[in-house]
Amino acid sequence: MSPDTALADRVHRRVLDEQPGAGELRRRIAELTRTEAPLLDDDGVADLVDAVAARTIGLGALDAVLADPAVTEIMVNGPGPVWVERHGTLRRLDLRLAQAEVELLVERIVAPLGLRIDRTAPLVDARLPDGSRVNAIVPPLALDGPCLTIRRFGARPIGLDEAAPPGVAALLAWAVRARCNVLVSGGTGAGKTTLLNALAGCIPPGERVVTIEDAAELRLPLEHVVRLEARPPNAEGAGEVRVRELVRNALRMRPDRIVVGEVRGPEALDMLQAMNTGHEGSLSTCHANGPADALRRLETMVLSGSPGLPLAAVREQVAAAVDLVVQVARVPGGRRAVVAVDEVLPLGSDPGDRPLAVRSLATAEGLHALPIRPARGPAGPPHPAWLAS
């Protein structure tokens, strides 16, 4: 039986006024509950203690949803039912939240991070302590009330063999060890970050890896990792540190490889320059419908921050920097998987007259019998003989 909402509200207000320590919180909630409702039985007191404690130190009614390891996404579309993605399928829960509850959840997430969300700054990106990514948007931009989207951080790492056929997984593992620069592309929720974690697991031990992210999600299974995270402006509009600045700073940190969680804008140029200046074997992701689209998006992102650059020069940078583009997507059954691996071909003698081109090395069904360019890095081994499907 659900605890009485009015009673929970009263107890919650008194707990907030008193601010008991974490060790005393549940005991004090029980005492206040018995004071407010002396006729409530022990089971009712226990239920109300759980509800108020969740409101105070957790995410309220969403705590139970977050405890389900099968849930990969939680969507709160204003007041009303909560939606989740479970096993690749959207489902509506019986759980319903009032507008005040949603506003409280949003504030509880952003306040400890020093972020601000209100009518003058109505959207924010944040993350939970477990690494899950959070997006919140409130009125006037959200017409039907505050919206909250939580993308869960996978507790169990996924290996390459789970995301690609055996031959394709072996190709990708070889490419990482051979210090190929790899760009992972795909749609929202396609599993780009998950695959990036899996690829990083193939980096030889002992290498120094610097990761750069807008919101930290990567958990690389390596010994020597330096994690950098961009910072949004504070309530006064000051203190912003963008991904582009972090990429430039990473070059001064003696990295063996640089991993950019996602390129979305002008930082694409800095990433390409890093790949072309002695940091082979770098990894990154971007949103795109396919490998060829990913290269065009890189061009667009570079030009958005440096409109004076000639297109031919940008294409030369992309062709020289990126070796492989790996496309990930949702496949039937809700699973995320590698659906294509394309090699970026070198430009012709007149790059201004020829767009960037790719050649398919692999699909979800397996490998093609095609040679791959040797990696530029000093550790790049000769091409393996097993590339035939």
Side-chain angles (χ1 to χ4, degrees), residues 170-182 199 202-204 207 257 279-283 323-324 372-384 386:
L171 167 64
L172 295 176
W174 171 84
V176 173
R177 291 194 299 270
R179 302 185 68 84
C180 292
N181 291 324
V182 180
L199 289 171
C202 302
I203 295 176
E207 294 193 14
R257 302 181 192 235
H279 299 93
E280 294 90 355
S282 295
L283 310 172
D323 294 308
L324 294 180
I372 185 173
R373 278 189 293 155
R376 295 181 304 278
H383 179 264
W386 44 257

Side-chain angles (χ1 to χ4, degrees), residues 27-362:
R27 181 187 63 79
R28 185 55 183 152
I29 293 173
E31 292 175 351
L32 292 172
T33 300
R34 291 191 174 94
T35 300
E36 293 281 346
L39 300 182
L40 195 63
D41 59 27
D42 290 343
D43 289 341
V45 171
D47 289 342
L48 196 131
V49 169
D50 290 339
V52 175
R55 285 191 188 188
T56 307
I57 59 176
L59 291 183
L62 294 186
D63 275 349
V65 184
L66 287 166
D68 183 351
V71 171
T72 55
E73 199 115 15
I74 302 171
M75 291 145 281
V76 181
N77 308 324
V82 174
W83 291 76
V84 300
E85 181 187 83
R86 186 184 286 121
H87 303 301
T89 304
L90 290 178
R91 306 184 183 190
R92 186 175 66 181
L93 302 180
D94 293 333
L95 174 64
R96 300 181 67 90
L97 297 179
Q99 178 155 330
E101 292 178 283
V102 182
E103 291 172 348
L104 179 63
L105 287 173
V106 172
E107 185 62 27
R108 185 167 300 153
I109 291 170
V110 304
L113 302 175
L115 301 176
R116 167 188 176 186
I117 185 165
D118 52 31
R119 295 185 68 85
T120 59
L123 54 87
V124 70
D125 288 307
R127 60 183 168 88
L128 299 178
D130 68 352
S132 297
R133 187 164 59 190
V134 180
N135 174 266
I137 182 166
V138 300
L141 301 187
L143 301 182
D144 299 321
C147 297
L148 184 66
T149 307
I150 302 175
R151 178 171 297 172
R152 298 290 305 282
F153 172 74
R156 184 179 70 86
I158 303 298
L160 282 178
D161 56 343
E162 297 181 67
V168 178
L171 167 64
L172 295 176
W174 171 84
V176 173
R177 291 194 299 270
R179 302 185 68 84
C180 292
N181 291 324
V182 180
L183 178 67
V184 178
S185 64
T188 301
K192 298 185 296 297
T193 301
T194 300
L195 181 63
L196 203 62
N197 273 301
L199 289 171
C202 302
I203 295 176
E207 294 193 14
R208 176 175 168 87
V209 180
V210 178
T211 69
I212 301 165
E213 300 176 84
D214 199 26
E217 293 180 291
L218 292 171
R219 297 291 188 277
L220 304 189
L222 303 169
E223 293 181 353
H224 197 167
V225 178
V226 178
R227 302 171 66 216
L228 306 179
E229 183 181 36
R231 184 176 67 185
N234 60 20
E236 288 74 36
E240 179 182 18
V241 179
R242 297 171 297 175
V243 170
R244 185 169 196 179
E245 297 168 42
L246 293 179
V247 172
R248 292 176 178 175
N249 188 80
L251 297 176
R252 304 184 182 99
M253 299 177 69
R254 198 263 175 221
D256 289 311
R257 302 181 192 235
I258 296 175
V259 178
V260 182
E262 183 178 336
V263 287
R264 303 180 185 181
E267 68 272 7
L269 176 60
D270 302 280
M271 181 199 71
L272 294 174
Q273 290 176 336
M275 289 178 173
N276 275 327
T277 53
H279 299 93
E280 294 90 355
S282 295
L283 310 172
S284 188
T285 76
C286 75
H287 283 86
N289 294 326
D293 288 336
L295 299 183
R296 286 192 288 269
R297 282 217 67 205
L298 279 183
E299 292 179 7
T300 303
M301 287 186 284
V302 170
L303 292 172
S304 70
S306 305
L309 285 177
L311 178 58
V314 175
R315 285 180 174 166
E316 286 180 349
Q317 284 272 0
V318 175
V322 182
D323 294 308
L324 294 180
V325 182
V326 183
Q327 184 72 19
V328 292
R330 296 171 185 259
V331 296
R335 191 170 61 89
R336 284 106 167 148
V338 173
V339 295
V341 180
D342 282 20
E343 177 191 10
V344 181
L345 297 176
L347 289 171
S349 58
D350 189 1
D353 295 334
R354 180 173 177 271
L356 288 164
V358 294
R359 176 173 59 181
S360 177
L361 297 177

